Amino acid sequence: MTTKTSTTARHGVVHYPFWFGGSASCIAACFTHPLDLVKVRMQTAATTAGGATPTMLRAFVKVSRNEGLLALYSGLSASLLRQATYSTTRFGVYELLKSHFQPPDQITPPSFGTLVLMASASGMAGGVAGNPADIINVRMQNDRSLPPSRRLNYKHALDGVYKMLTTEGPSSLFRGVWPNTLRAALMTASQLATYDEFKTLILGAGLGSDGVGTHFAASLMSGLVATTVCSPVDVVKTRVMVGQEKGVGVLSVLKATVRKEGVRWVFRGWVPSFARLGPHTILTFIFMEQHKQLWRIIHPQKEPEAALL
């Protein structure tokens, strides 16, 4: 988005820079990365150890004791690259669609159904854009749990991309792209659209002002919805991306998982998923709202503001 487009308010809607969502998500990731790492370790526990999934607390203790406290931040560079690609795209496209499909004379936000459709499309775009970084992120987080002979030992995210290109081929960067795109569509629809809806309901019912308290409550409820909707797809996506063999696809992973674990796999790691996604969702939306508030201070609008979501 150009500066001219970003700084101009048209039809009563403020147009923010495309990168706000990615920036807010990167800041949030710095706080929640250890939770994401533990979630990945729990989701892959059955494939790497062949046993029962450890509790979240035990997983934290095991990583800290065996690998050191800094190991909780293994793969942070990949996590930041993922947010810079995946979240920047999905948040940016979502905001563009919201402003584009809101009629000039309409001061109320689009309907919830419309928000869901726009968020789903935005999530799909983000899923494709962030897939390479997502693979590197999952692998780096899971690497130290593997036997030394199976470790990939990526130095950082870009090193991981280079090694995948040279050893596995360009197509490896899009391994698991379909479950990842589906998850991204579900995540964005159940996260961004529900956040806007919960925020609108809270403000409409007079339960709070457009401040941090309302942003916290709306994002907390959004995180609960998103975790529940995305948990099954997240498990399959993680296991497909961890695999290094060619031909490892969604159906083969799904069949093997059901055969070994029955229906328990569906919500494997739900608690650490929410423990990570809940705080990450809250921090992301709070940081993004602060981005927007600062933007409005720096670029005051001549017309009354409306439909600021």
Side-chain angles (χ1 to χ4, degrees), residues 148-190:
S149 61
R150 294 183 57 196
R151 292 178 185 174
L152 298 167
N153 297 317
Y154 297 153
K155 297 177 182 178
H156 47 73
L158 295 182
D159 179 56
V161 172
Y162 174 76
K163 287 183 177 178
M164 285 190 69
L165 284 172
T166 55
T167 61
E168 302 176 52
S171 62
S172 65
L173 294 175
F174 291 94
R175 174 177 287 130
V177 67
W178 296 119
N180 195 33
T181 301
L182 174 59
R183 177 191 177 275
L186 292 173
M187 175 65 72
T188 308
S190 58

Side-chain angles (χ1 to χ4, degrees), residues 115-221:
L115 290 175
V116 168
L117 291 175
M118 291 190 293
S120 298
S122 304
M124 292 180 70
V128 174
N131 200 78
D134 207 358
I135 296 176
I136 302 299
N137 184 40
V138 169
R139 289 187 174 187
M140 290 184 71
Q141 290 176 345
N142 189 59
D143 207 38
R144 292 193 184 187
S145 68
L146 300 173
S149 61
R150 294 183 57 196
R151 292 178 185 174
L152 298 167
N153 297 317
Y154 297 153
K155 297 177 182 178
H156 47 73
L158 295 182
D159 179 56
V161 172
Y162 174 76
K163 287 183 177 178
M164 285 190 69
L165 284 172
T166 55
T167 61
E168 302 176 52
S171 62
S172 65
L173 294 175
F174 291 94
R175 174 177 287 130
V177 67
W178 296 119
N180 195 33
T181 301
L182 174 59
R183 177 191 177 275
L186 292 173
M187 175 65 72
T188 308
S190 58
Q191 192 180 52
L192 273 64
T194 58
Y195 173 79
D196 281 345
E197 186 68 13
F198 284 132
K199 179 182 172 183
T200 299
L201 291 174
I202 292 172
L203 295 175
L207 299 177
S209 60
D210 191 5
V212 175
T214 295
H215 305 156
F216 177 88
S219 57
L220 175 61
M221 291 184 286

